Amino acid sequence: MTNQALVVGVSGIVGSALARLLTQERWAVAGLARRPEVEAGVTPVTADLLDRAALQQALQGMKPTHVFLATWARQASEAENIRVNGEMVRNLLDAVQPAGSVRHVALVTGLKHYLGPFEAYGKGSLPQTPFREDQGRLDVDNFYYAQEDELFAAAARDGFTWSVHRPHTITGVAVGNAMNMATTLAVYASVCKFTGRPFRFPGSEVQWNGLTDMTDASQLAKQLLWAASTPAAANEAFNIVNGDVFRWKWMWSRIAEWFGIEAAPFDGEPAPLEQQMAGDAETWQEMAQRFGLAEPEITRLISPWHTDADLGRPIEVVTDMSKSRKLGFFDYQASDDAFFDVFSRLRAAKLIP
């Protein structure tokens, strides 16, 4: 039987990387988003996961064998995150139920499973690092848990297998994405170079000196494909990172070198990007005009609040991948090369000078 993938969130960092990989592997791929931007070989599906009737209409006649959920909607509170994002998963899985074709559903969440939601991020009693999948849930409301519960309920009802994938900070390219550290840092470095401002690390001393890891979107896509194709991976949750670890005091200099600027010495005090870049909209428009950039609106490229949350954490974060390694997933990606690949793609697309 031909594998028919439905990639939900196809215009995002994860969804676009996954759709690209699946088409390379000769899967039939449909990509769903409110405003889908898809590559050659992907069938676009325009739908809003919160509009049940329109969603069912958009998916009518489709018979996906595999569904990949790589989207969420940020709300003003965690209670609203839970309500809205749980409803999105429920609506989608209800909409594909009538076809009776789904064999596997994969859900992408993240390390907030271990670190807590935005309202209590990195606070309270947290599990030891490296984070392992068997450490379970925190005793706090979390929209990732609500998404999982909707997935588990639909799997029990409809008989498909599932997998949950928990990346660390994701590197990749997707304009308009709400959580995009690599592009945010690329824009920040470009502004610093243009204005002569110091390229200051925005985060905490713990993050500067401590070990960390990251997840490239292509690495996550490979694990999603592997789990969907490997019987032993059915009904399991997996951490997914590149496979290396680094300290930001090393990576910051590597990023500065790529852009041809000097990394400012770290003085031990956080310098959040939300504050540093608060007045950069006009500067970016000037840069866009001077260098012929494709996107003059800086808010379409950066997510400083999210980068500040990751780089400002008061604890060291390292992720264990033994579970999927033991089952046969061995892919690896050097994190500095992952950053450089994003920077090169952004420059080629005229998104940075």
Side-chain angles (χ1 to χ4, degrees), residues 61-78:
M62 295 188 65
K63 295 184 176 181
T65 58
H66 296 74
V67 177
F68 300 91
L69 270 157
T71 189
W72 72 290
R74 188 189 184 200
Q75 305 300 311
S77 68
E78 193 59 21

PDB file of all heavy atoms in Angstrom, residues 61-78:
ATOM      1  N   GLY A  61     -12.661  12.946   1.302  1.00  0.00           N
ATOM      2  CA  GLY A  61     -12.118  12.193   0.181  1.00  0.00           C
ATOM      3  C   GLY A  61     -10.667  11.816   0.330  1.00  0.00           C
ATOM      4  O   GLY A  61     -10.154  10.991  -0.438  1.00  0.00           O
ATOM      5  N   MET A  62      -9.967  12.408   1.303  1.00  0.00           N
ATOM      6  CA  MET A  62      -8.562  12.058   1.522  1.00  0.00           C
ATOM      7  C   MET A  62      -8.477  10.795   2.392  1.00  0.00           C
ATOM      8  O   MET A  62      -9.303  10.593   3.286  1.00  0.00           O
ATOM      9  CB  MET A  62      -7.827  13.212   2.199  1.00  0.00           C
ATOM     10  CG  MET A  62      -7.744  14.464   1.349  1.00  0.00           C
ATOM     11  SD  MET A  62      -6.671  15.714   2.096  1.00  0.00           S
ATOM     12  CE  MET A  62      -5.101  14.849   2.029  1.00  0.00           C
ATOM     13  N   LYS A  63      -7.467   9.973   2.128  1.00  0.00           N
ATOM     14  CA  LYS A  63      -7.275   8.739   2.883  1.00  0.00           C
ATOM     15  C   LYS A  63      -5.826   8.618   3.339  1.00  0.00           C
ATOM     16  O   LYS A  63      -5.072   7.775   2.851  1.00  0.00           O
ATOM     17  CB  LYS A  63      -7.685   7.532   2.033  1.00  0.00           C
ATOM     18  CG  LYS A  63      -9.175   7.510   1.686  1.00  0.00           C
ATOM     19  CD  LYS A  63      -9.552   6.249   0.927  1.00  0.00           C
ATOM     20  CE  LYS A  63     -11.055   6.212   0.673  1.00  0.00           C
ATOM     21  NZ  LYS A  63     -11.472   4.982  -0.040  1.00  0.00           N
ATOM     22  N   PRO A  64      -5.435   9.454   4.298  1.00  0.00           N
ATOM     23  CA  PRO A  64      -4.047   9.391   4.762  1.00  0.00           C
ATOM     24  C   PRO A  64      -3.788   8.116   5.556  1.00  0.00           C
ATOM     25  O   PRO A  64      -4.627   7.679   6.347  1.00  0.00           O
ATOM     26  CB  PRO A  64      -3.919  10.626   5.647  1.00  0.00           C
ATOM     27  CG  PRO A  64      -5.312  10.884   6.135  1.00  0.00           C
ATOM     28  CD  PRO A  64      -6.219  10.485   4.999  1.00  0.00           C
ATOM     29  N   THR A  65      -2.617   7.535   5.333  1.00  0.00           N
ATOM     30  CA  THR A  65      -2.203   6.393   6.139  1.00  0.00           C
ATOM     31  C   THR A  65      -1.401   6.845   7.352  1.00  0.00           C
ATOM     32  O   THR A  65      -1.359   6.151   8.363  1.00  0.00           O
ATOM     33  CB  THR A  65      -1.343   5.420   5.311  1.00  0.00           C
ATOM     34  OG1 THR A  65      -0.195   6.122   4.798  1.00  0.00           O
ATOM     35  CG2 THR A  65      -2.149   4.843   4.150  1.00  0.00           C
ATOM     36  N   HIS A  66      -0.763   8.009   7.231  1.00  0.00           N
ATOM     37  CA  HIS A  66       0.066   8.543   8.304  1.00  0.00           C
ATOM     38  C   HIS A  66      -0.244  10.026   8.479  1.00  0.00           C
ATOM     39  O   HIS A  66      -0.284  10.773   7.495  1.00  0.00           O
ATOM     40  CB  HIS A  66       1.555   8.370   7.994  1.00  0.00           C
ATOM     41  CG  HIS A  66       1.993   6.944   7.913  1.00  0.00           C
ATOM     42  ND1 HIS A  66       1.671   6.132   6.840  1.00  0.00           N
ATOM     43  CD2 HIS A  66       2.735   6.185   8.775  1.00  0.00           C
ATOM     44  CE1 HIS A  66       2.201   4.935   7.040  1.00  0.00           C
ATOM     45  NE2 HIS A  66       2.848   4.937   8.198  1.00  0.00           N
ATOM     46  N   VAL A  67      -0.445  10.436   9.713  1.00  0.00           N
ATOM     47  CA  VAL A  67      -0.697  11.839  10.032  1.00  0.00           C
ATOM     48  C   VAL A  67       0.433  12.333  10.926  1.00  0.00           C
ATOM     49  O   VAL A  67       0.779  11.672  11.922  1.00  0.00           O
ATOM     50  CB  VAL A  67      -2.056  12.021  10.741  1.00  0.00           C
ATOM     51  CG1 VAL A  67      -2.273  13.481  11.131  1.00  0.00           C
ATOM     52  CG2 VAL A  67      -3.190  11.525   9.850  1.00  0.00           C
ATOM     53  N   PHE A  68       1.001  13.490  10.574  1.00  0.00           N
ATOM     54  CA  PHE A  68       2.089  14.088  11.346  1.00  0.00           C
ATOM     55  C   PHE A  68       1.635  15.459  11.828  1.00  0.00           C
ATOM     56  O   PHE A  68       1.396  16.357  11.023  1.00  0.00           O
ATOM     57  CB  PHE A  68       3.342  14.216  10.481  1.00  0.00           C
ATOM     58  CG  PHE A  68       3.863  12.910   9.948  1.00  0.00           C
ATOM     59  CD1 PHE A  68       3.445  12.422   8.721  1.00  0.00           C
ATOM     60  CD2 PHE A  68       4.780  12.159  10.679  1.00  0.00           C
ATOM     61  CE1 PHE A  68       3.924  11.221   8.221  1.00  0.00           C
ATOM     62  CE2 PHE A  68       5.264  10.950  10.195  1.00  0.00           C
ATOM     63  CZ  PHE A  68       4.834  10.481   8.959  1.00  0.00           C
ATOM     64  N   LEU A  69       1.538  15.616  13.148  1.00  0.00           N
ATOM     65  CA  LEU A  69       1.053  16.857  13.763  1.00  0.00           C
ATOM     66  C   LEU A  69       2.237  17.688  14.237  1.00  0.00           C
ATOM     67  O   LEU A  69       2.911  17.330  15.206  1.00  0.00           O
ATOM     68  CB  LEU A  69       0.155  16.522  14.943  1.00  0.00           C
ATOM     69  CG  LEU A  69      -1.335  16.353  14.649  1.00  0.00           C
ATOM     70  CD1 LEU A  69      -1.982  15.505  15.728  1.00  0.00           C
ATOM     71  CD2 LEU A  69      -1.998  17.720  14.587  1.00  0.00           C
ATOM     72  N   ALA A  70       2.478  18.808  13.545  1.00  0.00           N
ATOM     73  CA  ALA A  70       3.635  19.644  13.878  1.00  0.00           C
ATOM     74  C   ALA A  70       3.212  21.102  13.929  1.00  0.00           C
ATOM     75  O   ALA A  70       3.816  21.969  13.288  1.00  0.00           O
ATOM     76  CB  ALA A  70       4.749  19.434  12.856  1.00  0.00           C
ATOM     77  N   THR A  71       2.166  21.383  14.703  1.00  0.00           N
ATOM     78  CA  THR A  71       1.688  22.752  14.804  1.00  0.00           C
ATOM     79  C   THR A  71       1.051  22.978  16.164  1.00  0.00           C
ATOM     80  O   THR A  71       0.635  22.030  16.833  1.00  0.00           O
ATOM     81  CB  THR A  71       0.672  23.058  13.694  1.00  0.00           C
ATOM     82  OG1 THR A  71       0.365  24.464  13.686  1.00  0.00           O
ATOM     83  CG2 THR A  71      -0.617  22.263  13.885  1.00  0.00           C
ATOM     84  N   TRP A  72       1.003  24.238  16.579  1.00  0.00           N
ATOM     85  CA  TRP A  72       0.300  24.631  17.800  1.00  0.00           C
ATOM     86  C   TRP A  72      -0.035  26.108  17.679  1.00  0.00           C
ATOM     87  O   TRP A  72       0.480  26.799  16.787  1.00  0.00           O
ATOM     88  CB  TRP A  72       1.142  24.350  19.041  1.00  0.00           C
ATOM     89  CG  TRP A  72       2.316  25.273  19.231  1.00  0.00           C
ATOM     90  CD1 TRP A  72       3.455  25.313  18.476  1.00  0.00           C
ATOM     91  CD2 TRP A  72       2.453  26.304  20.217  1.00  0.00           C
ATOM     92  NE1 TRP A  72       4.295  26.293  18.934  1.00  0.00           N
ATOM     93  CE2 TRP A  72       3.718  26.916  20.001  1.00  0.00           C
ATOM     94  CE3 TRP A  72       1.648  26.751  21.261  1.00  0.00           C
ATOM     95  CZ2 TRP A  72       4.177  27.966  20.791  1.00  0.00           C
ATOM     96  CZ3 TRP A  72       2.114  27.797  22.057  1.00  0.00           C
ATOM     97  CH2 TRP A  72       3.367  28.392  21.826  1.00  0.00           C
ATOM     98  N   ALA A  73      -0.888  26.604  18.557  1.00  0.00           N
ATOM     99  CA  ALA A  73      -1.302  28.001  18.530  1.00  0.00           C
ATOM    100  C   ALA A  73      -1.085  28.609  19.903  1.00  0.00           C
ATOM    101  O   ALA A  73      -1.705  28.184  20.886  1.00  0.00           O
ATOM    102  CB  ALA A  73      -2.764  28.122  18.112  1.00  0.00           C
ATOM    103  N   ARG A  74      -0.206  29.586  19.987  1.00  0.00           N
ATOM    104  CA  ARG A  74       0.102  30.223  21.265  1.00  0.00           C
ATOM    105  C   ARG A  74      -1.058  31.100  21.730  1.00  0.00           C
ATOM    106  O   ARG A  74      -1.596  31.895  20.960  1.00  0.00           O
ATOM    107  CB  ARG A  74       1.372  31.070  21.144  1.00  0.00           C
ATOM    108  CG  ARG A  74       1.864  31.613  22.473  1.00  0.00           C
ATOM    109  CD  ARG A  74       2.998  32.616  22.288  1.00  0.00           C
ATOM    110  NE  ARG A  74       3.528  33.068  23.557  1.00  0.00           N
ATOM    111  CZ  ARG A  74       4.234  34.188  23.724  1.00  0.00           C
ATOM    112  NH1 ARG A  74       4.476  34.965  22.687  1.00  0.00           N
ATOM    113  NH2 ARG A  74       4.699  34.519  24.910  1.00  0.00           N
ATOM    114  N   GLN A  75      -1.423  30.938  23.007  1.00  0.00           N
ATOM    115  CA  GLN A  75      -2.515  31.701  23.601  1.00  0.00           C
ATOM    116  C   GLN A  75      -1.999  32.538  24.773  1.00  0.00           C
ATOM    117  O   GLN A  75      -0.844  32.427  25.174  1.00  0.00           O
ATOM    118  CB  GLN A  75      -3.622  30.757  24.067  1.00  0.00           C
ATOM    119  CG  GLN A  75      -4.148  29.840  22.978  1.00  0.00           C
ATOM    120  CD  GLN A  75      -4.748  30.581  21.800  1.00  0.00           C
ATOM    121  OE1 GLN A  75      -5.564  31.478  21.971  1.00  0.00           O
ATOM    122  NE2 GLN A  75      -4.327  30.204  20.581  1.00  0.00           N
ATOM    123  N   ALA A  76      -2.892  33.353  25.351  1.00  0.00           N
ATOM    124  CA  ALA A  76      -2.484  34.296  26.389  1.00  0.00           C
ATOM    125  C   ALA A  76      -2.214  33.635  27.735  1.00  0.00           C
ATOM    126  O   ALA A  76      -1.538  34.206  28.590  1.00  0.00           O
ATOM    127  CB  ALA A  76      -3.547  35.375  26.548  1.00  0.00           C
ATOM    128  N   SER A  77      -2.743  32.430  27.961  1.00  0.00           N
ATOM    129  CA  SER A  77      -2.549  31.735  29.234  1.00  0.00           C
ATOM    130  C   SER A  77      -2.409  30.245  28.962  1.00  0.00           C
ATOM    131  O   SER A  77      -2.792  29.754  27.894  1.00  0.00           O
ATOM    132  CB  SER A  77      -3.727  31.981  30.174  1.00  0.00           C
ATOM    133  OG  SER A  77      -4.891  31.350  29.672  1.00  0.00           O
ATOM    134  N   GLU A  78      -1.887  29.511  29.942  1.00  0.00           N
ATOM    135  CA  GLU A  78      -1.755  28.066  29.752  1.00  0.00           C
ATOM    136  C   GLU A  78      -3.115  27.392  29.715  1.00  0.00           C
ATOM    137  O   GLU A  78      -3.303  26.409  28.982  1.00  0.00           O
ATOM    138  CB  GLU A  78      -0.883  27.452  30.852  1.00  0.00           C
ATOM    139  CG  GLU A  78      -0.453  26.022  30.557  1.00  0.00           C
ATOM    140  CD  GLU A  78       0.339  25.885  29.267  1.00  0.00           C
ATOM    141  OE1 GLU A  78       0.906  26.886  28.770  1.00  0.00           O
ATOM    142  OE2 GLU A  78       0.386  24.758  28.726  1.00  0.00           O
TER     143      GLU A  78
END
